[in-house]
């Protein structure tokens, strides 16, 4: 909660930070961006996490209240990380669009850049989170390689879609409703891609409301050993 709170509260308490103090709260880019990322990251936790449980045999083992079998703190942590990732992707894509002339070569470069940023983002998160003892995989090498490509599917869709938000306000100004609709559409697109990979791999999909460590306290991570998570 502490990670996401400053981002969620800034548009309402300190709108001058983003130069939006004179804009009604519902028209501020920071509000719409938070809404977009909030919806997309919620879908990611609520739905996509179960694909990692099934395809990569990932597991969270820290004590926490859960929502649909996913620790609630992860919903807030994901919002923070996704805001950071999408700010960086916007910077890279804007630089590309403003530096290269419109045409086939620019389109190819943009697609290649999105694929590259998506995989690198996913791989770096997988690598850096490896030091966290309460999140793991059955096969860590598989998680770094196939898992990063699997996770990267999120961003192949979301990076270019998030860039659309108020990118050309003179041509189209997004409402909060527009932002919500595009975030939901992006979420559905990612879900289809993840499920296509699952089907291709021949992995069954099951949803568990209780993480294994809630049923077996010996699976809870340090320093909470032998406490039901």
């Amino acid at each position: 909660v502490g990670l996401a709170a400053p981002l969620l509260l800034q548009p309402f308490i300190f709108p001058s930070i983003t130069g939006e103090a004179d804009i009604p709260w519902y028209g501020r880019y920071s509000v719409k961006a938070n809404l977009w990322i909030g919806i997309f990251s919620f879908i990611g936790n609520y739905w996509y996490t179960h694909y990692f449980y099934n395809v990569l045999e990932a597991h969270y083992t820290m004590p926490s209240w859960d929502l649909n079998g996913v620790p609630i703190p992860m919903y807030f942590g994901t919002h923070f990380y996704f805001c950071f990732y999408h700010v960086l992707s916007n910077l890279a894509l804007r630089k590309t669009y403003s530096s290269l002339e419109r045409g086939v070569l620019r389109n190819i470069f943009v697609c290649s850049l999105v694929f590259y940023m998506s995989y690198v983002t996913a791989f770096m998160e997988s690598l850096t989170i490896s030091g966290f003892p309460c999140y793991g995989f059955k096969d860590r090498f598989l998680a770094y390689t196939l898992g990063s490509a699997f996770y990267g599917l999120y961003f192949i869709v979301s990076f270019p879609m998030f860039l659309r938000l108020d990118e050309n306000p003179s041509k189209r100004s997004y409402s909060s409703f527009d932002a919500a609709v595009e975030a939901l559409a992006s979420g559905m697109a990612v879900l289809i891609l993840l499920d296509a990979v699952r089907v291709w791999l021949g992995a069954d999909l099951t949803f568990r409301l209780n993480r294994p460590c809630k049923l077996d306290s010996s699976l809870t991570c340090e320093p909470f050993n032998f406490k039901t998570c």
Side-chain angles (χ1 to χ4, degrees):
V1 177
L3 289 172
L7 296 168
L8 294 170
L9 295 175
Q10 175 272 320
F12 305 101
I13 300 177
F14 301 110
S16 58
I17 292 177
T18 49
E20 299 177 294
D22 297 329
I23 301 175
W25 68 267
Y26 53 84
R28 294 169 184 164
Y29 175 83
S30 52
V31 170
K32 291 178 280 188
N34 265 300
L35 178 62
W36 201 107
I37 295 295
I39 291 172
F40 187 72
S41 62
F42 177 85
I43 295 171
N45 281 284
Y46 192 89
W47 282 106
Y48 308 160
T49 302
H50 289 275
Y51 283 84
F52 282 80
Y53 288 167
N54 285 269
V55 175
L56 297 172
E57 298 187 54
H59 50 270
Y60 290 111
T61 56
M62 67 285 212
S64 171
W65 288 334
D66 292 357
L67 177 60
N68 197 32
V70 180
I72 290 176
M74 300 310 303
Y75 288 82
F76 293 98
T78 302
H79 185 83
F80 169 82
Y81 281 108
F82 276 21
C83 283
F84 176 63
Y85 299 158
H86 287 80
V87 166
L88 295 181
S89 69
N90 270 9
L91 290 173
L93 290 173
R94 284 172 181 159
K95 181 65 175 178
T96 299
Y97 281 119
S98 63
S99 301
L100 302 179
E101 292 185 6
R102 183 190 300 268
V104 175
L105 290 179
R106 188 180 76 171
N107 292 339
I108 293 174
F109 183 82
V110 168
C111 291
S112 300
L113 179 62
V114 168
F115 275 85
Y116 174 77
M117 290 192 300
S118 299
Y119 188 85
V120 169
T121 299
F123 177 80
M124 290 306 297
E125 182 178 317
S126 300
L127 182 63
T128 54
I129 204 174
S130 63
F132 182 48
C134 298
Y135 182 58
F137 301 89
K138 182 178 180 180
D139 186 332
R140 192 164 292 277
F141 177 77
L142 185 66
Y144 290 154
T145 52
L146 175 62
S148 294
F150 195 58
Y151 185 22
L153 293 174
Y154 291 30
F155 307 120
I156 286 174
V157 174
S158 68
F159 284 166
M161 287 296 291
F162 183 72
L163 179 69
R164 290 164 46 88
L165 184 62
D166 280 353
E167 188 63 12
N168 294 298
S170 60
K171 295 182 179 179
R172 178 185 178 184
S173 179
Y174 276 64
S175 65
S176 295
F177 179 78
D178 293 329
V181 168
E182 292 214 355
L184 289 166
S186 299
M188 189 66 224
V190 174
L191 185 62
I192 292 171
L193 291 174
L194 292 176
D195 207 54
V197 173
R198 177 192 66 80
V199 171
W200 178 64
L201 292 173
D204 290 328
L205 179 64
T206 58
F207 284 76
R208 300 189 304 267
L209 291 180
N210 290 311
R211 290 178 286 137
C213 59
K214 287 191 177 293
L215 305 175
D216 183 353
S217 61
S218 68
L219 299 176
T220 305
C221 64
E222 296 181 358
F224 310 105
N225 306 68
F226 300 104
K227 294 181 181 179
T228 302
C229 70

